[in-house]
Amino acid sequence: MPGIPTIKLNTGALIPQVGLGTWQSADGDGYTSTVEALKAGYTHIDSAMFYRNEAEVGKAIRESGIPRDKLFVTTKIWPTDLQYVEETFNKSIELLGLDYVDLYLMHWPVAMNHNGNDRWYPTKPDGSTDIVDPEEWSYLDTYKEMQKLLKTGKVKAIGISNFNQERIEKLLADPEITVVPAVEQIELHPLLPQQELVDYCHSKGIAVEAYSPLGSTGAPILNNETIVKIAKKRDVSPAVIAISWAVWRKTIVLPKSTHAERIKANLQLVELTDEEGKEIDNIHKLLGGPKRLVDPQWGIKLFD
Ligand code: NDP
């Protein structure tokens, strides 16, 4: 497939359909993997406050010499920061060292308290997650604060992540919410195609990003029989097939790697036939139904 295809967001901006994932790429790996990705031709990088790599990702971007308007940079706000949108965003943009981000996402639709015992997963004395009472502060309040960021010019688009359809419906129905999220980022791979949610988002003009497209840590999807069979037939790696499937189904896809050769190889897309795409659509059915591979036990039930 020549070049990386793009999708037009509801803001009018174009987003490259393949971006570099950077979860678990920190302590130098965020820098080197972003450098390698930009060298290999990626123009889209997915970061987050939670990944603790905004400073190194930003450094690699700044040093690349690639004009800023040729790149698409995303970062995200974590649950413990949901009540402090403006100050958290300012921290992110400072760490990145950029004038703006192309996309700012709410990482999860749940606010957690800062209670000092853990920056990322605060717990109550009984061991349960320290969630803020939604009557006091909900994800809708956070989204309203995110809308205000658009006026600063430092955020080109806002979006959501890990929202189920019910939560999106609630968000769209809120009279104070006037900006339809540009993007919903969710776990998507052949074991969890979530076709209904993808179709729902598309029907509302929300582009969908696939996280953990290879099945996350250890890339278990790459051992799937059907994926391996199609990879052999097309003479490419199983990773290329999993990534190309995400592109075929009109989603944006964020493969992560800290290895230069994999980063490069993951960009060699092939155009799947509809027959191949549908065969991959069916994989989860052959294996007993959809399966989440990234399912944090803290916080909320996401897909109920
Ligand atoms: P991925 O599905 O991208 O898989 C990453 C794993 O695959 C790593 O173990 C990596 O190893 C391995 N890998 C990558 N390429 C290859 C290859 N060609 N051959 C063999 N193994 C390979 O997992 P992630 O969970 O990281 O998801 C991708 C991105 O999505 C994240 O990095 C993040 O940006 C985003 N994300 C967002 C979430 C959210 O809540 N919004 C949650 C989870 C992810 P190695 O690095 O050693 O090469």
Side-chain angles (χ1 to χ4, degrees), residues 106-226:
M106 190 186 325
H107 211 139
W108 294 84
V110 57
M112 292 183 199
N113 279 310
H114 267 281
N115 68 8
N117 74 351
D118 188 324
R119 164 76 176 90
W120 309 104
Y121 310 105
T123 51
K124 292 187 195 159
D126 69 3
S128 63
T129 308
D130 195 350
I131 291 171
V132 178
D133 179 353
E135 295 294 317
E136 200 185 305
W137 189 273
S138 82
Y139 63 88
L140 299 171
D141 298 311
T142 299
Y143 194 83
K144 287 170 201 171
E145 293 298 306
M146 289 170 71
Q147 288 188 142
K148 293 184 195 161
L149 292 177
L150 289 167
K151 298 196 186 84
T152 65
K154 293 181 184 171
V155 175
K156 302 294 179 196
I158 56 174
I160 55 182
S161 178
N162 295 301
F163 277 52
N164 61 12
Q165 183 171 328
E166 197 184 316
R167 290 194 181 89
I168 302 175
E169 283 168 356
K170 217 163 151 190
L171 183 138
L172 296 179
D174 189 305
E176 290 171 47
I177 290 179
T178 52
V179 178
V180 175
V183 161
E184 150 91 316
Q185 184 179 117
I186 45 177
E187 181 183 342
L188 292 180
H189 45 67
L191 294 187
L192 190 74
Q194 304 208 63
Q195 192 63 49
E196 272 182 34
L197 185 53
V198 170
D199 290 344
Y200 173 74
C201 288
H202 286 165
S203 77
K204 299 293 174 189
I206 303 169
V208 180
E209 293 188 342
Y211 79 60
S212 305
L214 310 178
S216 203
T217 313
I221 295 294
L222 307 187
N223 301 321
N224 176 270
E225 239 176 78
T226 308

Side-chain angles (χ1 to χ4, degrees), residues 1-7 14-20 37 40-44 243 247 252-253 266-269:
M1 196 183 277
I4 307 170
T6 54
I7 281 183
L14 294 178
I15 183 168
Q17 256 184 291
V18 184
L20 178 75
Y42 288 71
T43 52
H44 172 184
I243 296 163
V247 170
I252 298 142
V253 54
N266 287 349
L267 211 53
Q268 292 159 2
L269 301 175

Side-chain angles (χ1 to χ4, degrees), residues 5 29 68 98 138 152 158 202 229-230 258 260 279 285 299 302:
D29 283 345
R68 178 66 187 85
L98 301 175
S138 82
T152 65
I158 56 174
H202 286 165
K229 181 192 77 182
I230 298 175
T258 47
E279 195 177 354
K285 293 182 191 154
L302 288 162

